[in-house]
Each structure stands twice: as structure tokens, then as C-alpha cells.
Amino acid sequence: MTHRKTTLSIHPIQALSAVLTAEDDVRLLEYTRIKFHTSVAGVSDEWDAFVPEHHLFLRTPYLRTLETAPPEGMRFCYLSFTIDNEPIGIAACQIQYFKGDETFNEKEEEEPCFFEGVSRHFKNFVARNIGFHTLVCGSLLLTGEHGFYFHPNVKSELVTKLLLKGLDMASAEMNKQGVHISLTLLKDFFEQTQTGIAPVLTNKKFFEFNVQPNMILTLPSEWQNFDDYLGAMSSKYRVRVKRAFKKGKNIVRKEMSIDDIESHKQHIFNLYKNISKNAGFNTFTFTPDYFPELKRQLNDRLKLIGCYLDDQLVGFYTAIWNGVELDAHFLGFDYEVNRNTQLYLNMLYDMIGIALDYRADQIIFSRTALEIKSSVGAEPYEMYCYLRHRNPISNRFVKNFVDYLTPKEEWKQRHPFKS
């Protein structure tokens, strides 16, 4: 009898590109070595050699930013996956303690009716009594698929099984350090990725949920400049752009250097806090050192634009160049100035202009402020998340609590372009 030669007897990358049976997948799962790391410092060379340039948020300059200027209470760990010392995958994880009343915010009506008041009181009571250390595969600071990268030939099912094995290892290692992980969260998958990983995750009792969509503006290749963007709009929205420009004509924009950012970091942070405190779902709290450290690590790949009125810094926005995408990172502004100048809308138009100058294919506008982002042309893309409690009984109720406590935002999608 002739036995089929196992694909694992050849080079591992060649094995991964072969047509594999279920038995081969089991063998690859067994043969893959997983390493746990508490810092990128010890793995930076091989890590960056493996992760492509266009996965900026999984490369060590950005990860080093978070380690150097971490959000309050956030810890980090990393997983590397190898076969015969050849890398086949990496994962970047964050550990955060979620306290319900600090994570979920509900905007209060000035005079709620009796039943709304009772409901809010009960929600606040529940939120105050919920707290979990959570292991997150992905980034709480970003919207999108920024949790892991595997060799393209590794099938989705095998990726998911390897990830779960690695996350179990990470939970065990964190428990040894006195951080007892209750929840595991795999964060932000587009639909095309979700379809490949969902069967394994749901079979392992992970609950699937959505928070808010990712707002993305696709820039057609025929748009060479901002005038082309305007030309694609209906007359109603062109008028809106001109009105915003007129109201914001006295706002002066200036790209801030590392020295500028360092000297204004507290004010920049305060402007950011103006926005974040009104968000319905907050999972982290920055420190003022984040923005100067981000500029220090990313250098020319980050633009931080200060917006000035009468020589006073009244707002800022950030744009990160990530391959063919421009990521509209964090921003902040003075609400009173915004009311009179449409500063936020002007910022969105500024970012579109920058993206066109850089010949970007897309702008990632992320979550929040969904309606105004759709008014400049961004489209909503659902992002899928997966959550599991380590206790099987508690796990039955996790999704219900998330659904109950997460604010629901009603918004109307705008369509600014000609049909």
C-alpha cells in the first residue's frame, strides 16, 4: 500500500500552500509552536520582517507607542506562531479592566419620563456592579482588523483555531501574573473575514455582536483633487460644502511638529476629552503623552493638524498613512467654536483633501458621528466582534448584558453623490 507523503515533511510554507486534508490541519495545529511575549522589544526584528508594511497598526513602531504611553490601566501581550522556526502568524493583544459604568455611557435627557428614569437607574445599577479583566485580540483604540496577521496560505479555520489556542495560553500566563482574565474578545471583523472565522468561534461558545459600523469613504481613481470630489456631489451637498468653508474661513490650519505637540499635549488631550466624554461606548482613557509619542514613532506617517482661531488652538485632527488607506485617527475640538464655524465638518473635508493629495484609495473614518460622516460620502460597514466569558454559566448572559447596556444610536444615512 502506498502512503501519501505528509505535507509537513517539506518546507512549512510549501506545506501551507498545498491542498491539505482535515488530518493535515490537525497536524499543523499540533506542530505549530506558540510563544507568549509581554513586550515587542524582544521580537521587533523578526516581527517586522514578517508583518507587511501596510499593516502599520500591527508593526512595532505603533505597538511601541502604546507600550510607552499606554491608556490608563491597559496591559499588552503578544503571540507568535512558528513551524520549524518559520513564522506563520502573529497576534497583538490588550488586557483591559472593563467597568460597566465607565465603559457604557447613556446620554441623559433633561426631563426623562418616569419609565425612562427607572430604566436608566436600573442600567446604572447594573453597570456599577459589572467589572471584568478582558483579553482583547485587536485594538481598543482603532476600528478594523488590527488583531493578528497570518501567512496568506493559512486557511481561516486553522487561523481561528491557532488564535484560540494562543489566547488560552495568554490567559493562563496573565493569570500567573495575578491578572485573572474573565472575558476574551476578538474585535472588529469585516463580513468577508467574519464568514470564515464565525463557525469556529460560535462552536466554541463565543457570542457575535456589533457595536457601530466602520464609516469608510472610497475614493475613485478618477478623483484627482478636491474639485473632482465636489463635482461628484449633488448640488445640495456642494452648497453645504461652500457654506461650511464660509463659516470656517477664519480657522487657520497648521501641521504640528513633535515639539509643537509636546508643548501643547495637555491642551490637545483636553480637546480630545471634549469628544470622548460624549461617546456612548468608551473602553479606554488616553494619557496626554499618547499624541507626542505617536508622532515620535510614526514620524511622517502621521499628520497632526492644529486648528487655530485668533491664535488659539481650538481643535486638532490626526491622519495616519497606512498603505493605500488614510486612517482618520483621533481628533478634538471646542464645542462652542464648532457651533459657530462648523469646525468638525471642515476637518472631515480637510482629511478628504489630504487623502486625495496622497492618492489614497480609502479613508477610514471609524465609528461615531455616523450621520455627519455619511454626509461627506462615507459608507457604513458592519464590524463583527466575538465575546466569551470563561465561566460557562456567566457566558450564557454576557451577550444580554452587552445588548442591554450598549446605547443604541439612531441615525439617517446621507447620500451626497449623484446617483
Side-chain angles (χ1 to χ4, degrees):
M1 180 182 293
T2 302
H3 294 281
R4 183 174 63 86
K5 184 180 180 182
T6 174
T7 53
L8 293 181
S9 65
I10 59 177
H11 191 279
I13 300 303
Q14 292 176 322
L16 293 170
S17 65
V19 177
L20 304 182
T21 66
E23 180 185 353
D24 289 322
D25 279 352
V26 171
R27 284 169 152 265
L28 281 169
L29 193 62
E30 293 174 350
Y31 278 60
T32 300
R33 184 182 180 190
I34 306 174
K35 288 185 180 179
F36 173 84
H37 314 273
T38 56
S39 172
V40 294
V43 297
S44 58
D45 290 343
E46 56 266 38
W47 191 284
D48 281 343
F50 176 70
V51 179
E53 284 278 350
H54 64 272
H55 283 280
L56 176 69
F57 299 116
L58 278 172
R59 291 174 64 82
T60 58
Y62 180 73
L63 299 176
R64 201 158 43 234
T65 298
L66 298 180
E67 287 190 16
T68 306
E72 291 180 12
M74 185 175 286
R75 302 168 186 246
F76 307 94
C77 66
Y78 310 90
L79 298 165
S80 56
F81 303 81
T82 60
I83 297 177
D84 294 340
N85 294 319
E86 290 282 345
I88 65 163
I90 57 91
C93 302
Q94 299 169 351
I95 299 96
Q96 186 74 353
Y97 185 76
F98 288 130
K99 188 73 170 64
D101 56 352
E102 296 171 0
T103 301
F104 302 97
N105 298 323
E106 186 168 33
K107 295 181 181 179
E108 299 203 7
E109 302 293 333
E110 291 185 3
E111 296 183 6
C113 73
F114 172 78
F115 293 105
E116 287 174 338
V118 170
S119 175
R120 183 181 304 148
H121 176 78
F122 183 68
K123 280 191 176 185
N124 289 339
F125 173 80
V126 173
R128 281 195 303 271
N129 288 278
I130 291 180
F132 303 106
H133 274 113
T134 304
L135 176 66
V136 183
C137 181
S139 179
L140 295 174
L141 288 78
L142 303 163
T143 303
E145 297 180 352
H146 305 301
F148 58 87
Y149 172 77
F150 276 76
H151 189 281
N153 290 338
V154 186
K155 293 184 293 186
S156 295
E157 184 177 354
L158 181 57
V159 166
T160 313
K161 290 177 179 178
L162 286 169
L163 270 179
L164 293 182
K165 191 175 179 181
L167 292 173
D168 286 343
M169 173 191 285
S171 292
E173 292 293 334
M174 295 309 300
N175 286 337
K176 291 177 186 176
Q177 298 178 27
V179 180
H180 301 291
I181 303 297
S182 297
L183 289 171
T184 301
L185 171 65
L186 287 88
K187 181 177 178 289
D188 284 353
F189 301 101
F190 289 105
E191 187 173 1
Q192 60 266 35
T193 306
Q194 174 258 352
T195 54
I197 67 172
V200 177
L201 292 175
T202 54
N203 185 54
K204 294 295 184 179
K205 306 304 180 184
F206 278 82
F207 288 107
E208 179 184 288
F209 69 98
N210 311 91
V211 181
Q212 285 182 327
N214 191 356
M215 300 301 289
I216 299 175
L217 174 60
T218 300
L219 304 172
S221 57
E222 59 266 25
W223 292 358
Q224 298 294 309
N225 50 47
F226 197 82
D227 285 340
D228 292 334
Y229 165 74
L230 281 179
M233 285 183 157
S234 65
S235 58
K236 171 185 173 181
Y237 284 91
R238 283 199 300 274
V239 170
R240 179 183 172 91
V241 175
K242 292 174 183 176
R243 184 170 60 244
F245 284 175
K246 184 177 180 180
K247 286 195 171 187
K249 65 181 179 181
N250 293 325
I251 299 293
V252 176
R253 286 83 154 174
K254 173 189 171 186
E255 183 173 355
M256 301 179 75
S257 67
I258 181 61
D259 292 336
D260 294 331
I261 299 170
E262 186 67 53
S263 61
H264 291 85
K265 66 181 181 182
Q266 186 61 52
H267 190 34
I268 291 170
F269 175 74
N270 292 340
L271 291 168
Y272 160 74
K273 287 293 288 182
N274 283 347
I275 309 304
S276 66
K277 69 184 180 183
N278 288 313
F281 191 87
N282 283 314
T283 54
F284 61 90
T285 302
F286 272 137
T287 66
D289 291 324
Y290 175 74
F291 292 104
E293 187 60 31
L294 188 66
K295 180 64 176 176
R296 205 172 283 119
Q297 294 291 342
L298 299 190
N299 202 358
D300 291 341
R301 297 185 76 164
L302 166 72
K303 284 182 179 288
L304 193 152
I305 308 297
C307 301
Y308 297 82
L309 182 64
D310 299 329
D311 295 324
Q312 297 295 313
L313 182 64
V314 295
F316 77 94
Y317 61 89
T318 50
I320 297 177
W321 181 247
N322 182 22
V324 296
E325 297 176 350
L326 193 72
D327 192 280
H329 205 44
F330 295 102
L331 55 77
F333 53 79
D334 182 305
Y335 270 103
E336 191 61 38
V337 172
N338 181 62
R339 190 174 294 114
N340 298 321
T341 64
Q342 290 196 315
L343 177 57
Y344 179 49
L345 187 55
N346 274 287
M347 288 178 176
L348 297 180
Y349 292 136
D350 285 353
M351 283 186 261
I352 293 169
I354 291 171
L356 289 167
D357 288 342
Y358 273 72
R359 306 302 306 143
D361 289 347
Q362 289 184 324
I363 305 174
I364 310 300
F365 279 122
S366 192
R367 295 185 168 101
T368 72
L370 307 178
E371 188 162 331
I372 193 171
K373 288 173 180 175
S374 76
S375 77
V376 303
E379 297 276 344
Y381 289 82
E382 286 294 343
M383 306 300 296
Y384 297 85
C385 301
Y386 295 87
L387 186 66
R388 185 180 69 185
H389 197 288
R390 64 180 296 180
N391 183 301
I393 296 175
S394 299
N395 194 48
R396 296 171 61 183
F397 302 100
V398 166
K399 187 176 186 298
N400 302 83
F401 278 122
V402 172
D403 288 343
Y404 181 64
L405 291 172
T406 305
K408 304 298 187 290
E409 180 178 347
E410 293 185 5
W411 65 288
K412 181 178 180 181
Q413 185 176 352
R414 304 295 178 177
H415 301 280
F417 302 121
K418 300 169 187 173
S419 58

mmCIF file of all heavy atoms in Angstrom, residues 31 52 63 98 106 113 128 173 176 188 203 222 287 407:
data_model
loop_
_atom_site.group_PDB
_atom_site.id
_atom_site.type_symbol
_atom_site.label_atom_id
_atom_site.label_comp_id
_atom_site.label_asym_id
_atom_site.label_seq_id
_atom_site.Cartn_x
_atom_site.Cartn_y
_atom_site.Cartn_z
ATOM 1 N N TYR A 31 1.819 20.936 15.384
ATOM 2 C CA TYR A 31 3.215 21.228 15.122
ATOM 3 C C TYR A 31 3.556 22.712 15.302
ATOM 4 O O TYR A 31 4.714 23.072 15.415
ATOM 5 C CB TYR A 31 3.588 20.806 13.691
ATOM 6 C CG TYR A 31 3.909 19.347 13.539
ATOM 7 C CD1 TYR A 31 2.967 18.371 13.845
ATOM 8 C CD2 TYR A 31 5.154 18.923 13.081
ATOM 9 C CE1 TYR A 31 3.239 17.028 13.716
ATOM 10 C CE2 TYR A 31 5.455 17.581 12.941
ATOM 11 C CZ TYR A 31 4.487 16.625 13.267
ATOM 12 O OH TYR A 31 4.776 15.286 13.128
ATOM 13 N N PRO A 52 3.605 42.743 6.923
ATOM 14 C CA PRO A 52 3.766 43.678 5.800
ATOM 15 C C PRO A 52 3.659 45.140 6.230
ATOM 16 O O PRO A 52 3.029 45.475 7.235
ATOM 17 C CB PRO A 52 2.595 43.304 4.866
ATOM 18 C CG PRO A 52 2.224 41.916 5.249
ATOM 19 C CD PRO A 52 2.487 41.815 6.721
ATOM 20 N N LEU A 63 2.967 49.665 18.016
ATOM 21 C CA LEU A 63 2.827 48.898 19.252
ATOM 22 C C LEU A 63 3.717 49.474 20.356
ATOM 23 O O LEU A 63 3.343 49.494 21.530
ATOM 24 C CB LEU A 63 3.172 47.431 18.998
ATOM 25 C CG LEU A 63 2.272 46.718 17.979
ATOM 26 C CD1 LEU A 63 2.775 45.303 17.724
ATOM 27 C CD2 LEU A 63 0.817 46.687 18.447
ATOM 28 N N PHE A 98 -12.697 46.254 32.262
ATOM 29 C CA PHE A 98 -13.913 46.964 31.869
ATOM 30 C C PHE A 98 -14.816 47.104 33.079
ATOM 31 O O PHE A 98 -15.244 46.116 33.675
ATOM 32 C CB PHE A 98 -14.672 46.200 30.776
ATOM 33 C CG PHE A 98 -14.006 46.247 29.442
ATOM 34 C CD1 PHE A 98 -13.780 45.084 28.726
ATOM 35 C CD2 PHE A 98 -13.612 47.447 28.892
ATOM 36 C CE1 PHE A 98 -13.175 45.117 27.488
ATOM 37 C CE2 PHE A 98 -13.001 47.492 27.651
ATOM 38 C CZ PHE A 98 -12.785 46.327 26.949
ATOM 39 N N GLU A 106 -24.705 56.636 28.684
ATOM 40 C CA GLU A 106 -26.004 56.892 28.073
ATOM 41 C C GLU A 106 -26.297 58.375 28.184
ATOM 42 O O GLU A 106 -26.266 58.944 29.275
ATOM 43 C CB GLU A 106 -27.106 56.090 28.760
ATOM 44 C CG GLU A 106 -28.440 56.226 28.055
ATOM 45 C CD GLU A 106 -29.448 55.207 28.556
ATOM 46 O OE1 GLU A 106 -29.399 54.865 29.742
ATOM 47 O OE2 GLU A 106 -30.271 54.764 27.750
ATOM 48 N N CYS A 113 -39.063 60.815 31.151
ATOM 49 C CA CYS A 113 -40.331 60.386 31.723
ATOM 50 C C CYS A 113 -40.047 59.377 32.845
ATOM 51 O O CYS A 113 -38.939 58.898 33.012
ATOM 52 C CB CYS A 113 -41.225 59.764 30.650
ATOM 53 S SG CYS A 113 -40.700 58.119 30.122
ATOM 54 N N ARG A 128 -22.730 49.585 37.411
ATOM 55 C CA ARG A 128 -21.825 49.786 38.547
ATOM 56 C C ARG A 128 -21.344 48.466 39.132
ATOM 57 O O ARG A 128 -20.294 48.402 39.765
ATOM 58 C CB ARG A 128 -22.524 50.595 39.643
ATOM 59 C CG ARG A 128 -22.585 52.082 39.385
ATOM 60 C CD ARG A 128 -22.955 52.840 40.655
ATOM 61 N NE ARG A 128 -24.220 52.388 41.226
ATOM 62 C CZ ARG A 128 -25.407 52.902 40.891
ATOM 63 N NH1 ARG A 128 -25.468 53.883 39.989
ATOM 64 N NH2 ARG A 128 -26.510 52.449 41.455
ATOM 65 N N GLU A 173 -1.025 32.691 31.166
ATOM 66 C CA GLU A 173 0.163 33.452 31.554
ATOM 67 C C GLU A 173 -0.211 34.698 32.355
ATOM 68 O O GLU A 173 0.462 35.048 33.324
ATOM 69 C CB GLU A 173 0.965 33.844 30.313
ATOM 70 C CG GLU A 173 1.611 32.687 29.583
ATOM 71 C CD GLU A 173 2.713 32.026 30.391
ATOM 72 O OE1 GLU A 173 3.312 32.707 31.254
ATOM 73 O OE2 GLU A 173 2.976 30.826 30.173
ATOM 74 N N LYS A 176 -1.036 33.826 35.895
ATOM 75 C CA LYS A 176 0.163 33.628 36.709
ATOM 76 C C LYS A 176 0.691 34.958 37.247
ATOM 77 O O LYS A 176 1.319 35.000 38.308
ATOM 78 C CB LYS A 176 1.262 32.951 35.875
ATOM 79 C CG LYS A 176 0.984 31.514 35.515
ATOM 80 C CD LYS A 176 2.094 30.973 34.628
ATOM 81 C CE LYS A 176 1.780 29.568 34.122
ATOM 82 N NZ LYS A 176 2.825 29.082 33.176
ATOM 83 N N ASP A 188 -13.612 43.288 15.797
ATOM 84 C CA ASP A 188 -13.711 44.038 14.539
ATOM 85 C C ASP A 188 -13.296 43.257 13.297
ATOM 86 O O ASP A 188 -12.167 43.388 12.808
ATOM 87 C CB ASP A 188 -12.886 45.329 14.616
ATOM 88 C CG ASP A 188 -13.558 46.405 15.433
ATOM 89 O OD1 ASP A 188 -14.720 46.194 15.833
ATOM 90 O OD2 ASP A 188 -12.934 47.442 15.674
ATOM 91 N N ASN A 203 -18.934 27.833 17.570
ATOM 92 C CA ASN A 203 -18.853 26.458 18.074
ATOM 93 C C ASN A 203 -18.145 26.409 19.428
ATOM 94 O O ASN A 203 -18.410 25.529 20.250
ATOM 95 C CB ASN A 203 -18.113 25.576 17.068
ATOM 96 C CG ASN A 203 -18.103 24.110 17.479
ATOM 97 O OD1 ASN A 203 -19.131 23.512 17.740
ATOM 98 N ND2 ASN A 203 -16.910 23.533 17.544
ATOM 99 N N GLU A 222 -10.692 58.272 -10.516
ATOM 100 C CA GLU A 222 -10.855 59.459 -11.358
ATOM 101 C C GLU A 222 -10.881 60.754 -10.540
ATOM 102 O O GLU A 222 -10.810 61.847 -11.111
ATOM 103 C CB GLU A 222 -12.125 59.361 -12.207
ATOM 104 C CG GLU A 222 -13.413 59.213 -11.444
ATOM 105 C CD GLU A 222 -13.817 57.758 -11.277
ATOM 106 O OE1 GLU A 222 -12.935 56.883 -11.317
ATOM 107 O OE2 GLU A 222 -15.033 57.513 -11.111
ATOM 108 N N THR A 287 -3.726 59.039 27.920
ATOM 109 C CA THR A 287 -2.954 59.996 28.705
ATOM 110 C C THR A 287 -2.440 61.061 27.744
ATOM 111 O O THR A 287 -2.346 60.823 26.528
ATOM 112 C CB THR A 287 -1.771 59.334 29.423
ATOM 113 O OG1 THR A 287 -0.833 58.862 28.435
ATOM 114 C CG2 THR A 287 -2.242 58.169 30.276
ATOM 115 N N PRO A 407 -25.569 51.720 24.332
ATOM 116 C CA PRO A 407 -26.536 52.689 23.790
ATOM 117 C C PRO A 407 -26.814 52.412 22.321
ATOM 118 O O PRO A 407 -25.931 52.011 21.559
ATOM 119 C CB PRO A 407 -25.820 54.036 23.967
ATOM 120 C CG PRO A 407 -24.759 53.788 24.991
ATOM 121 C CD PRO A 407 -24.341 52.358 24.817
#
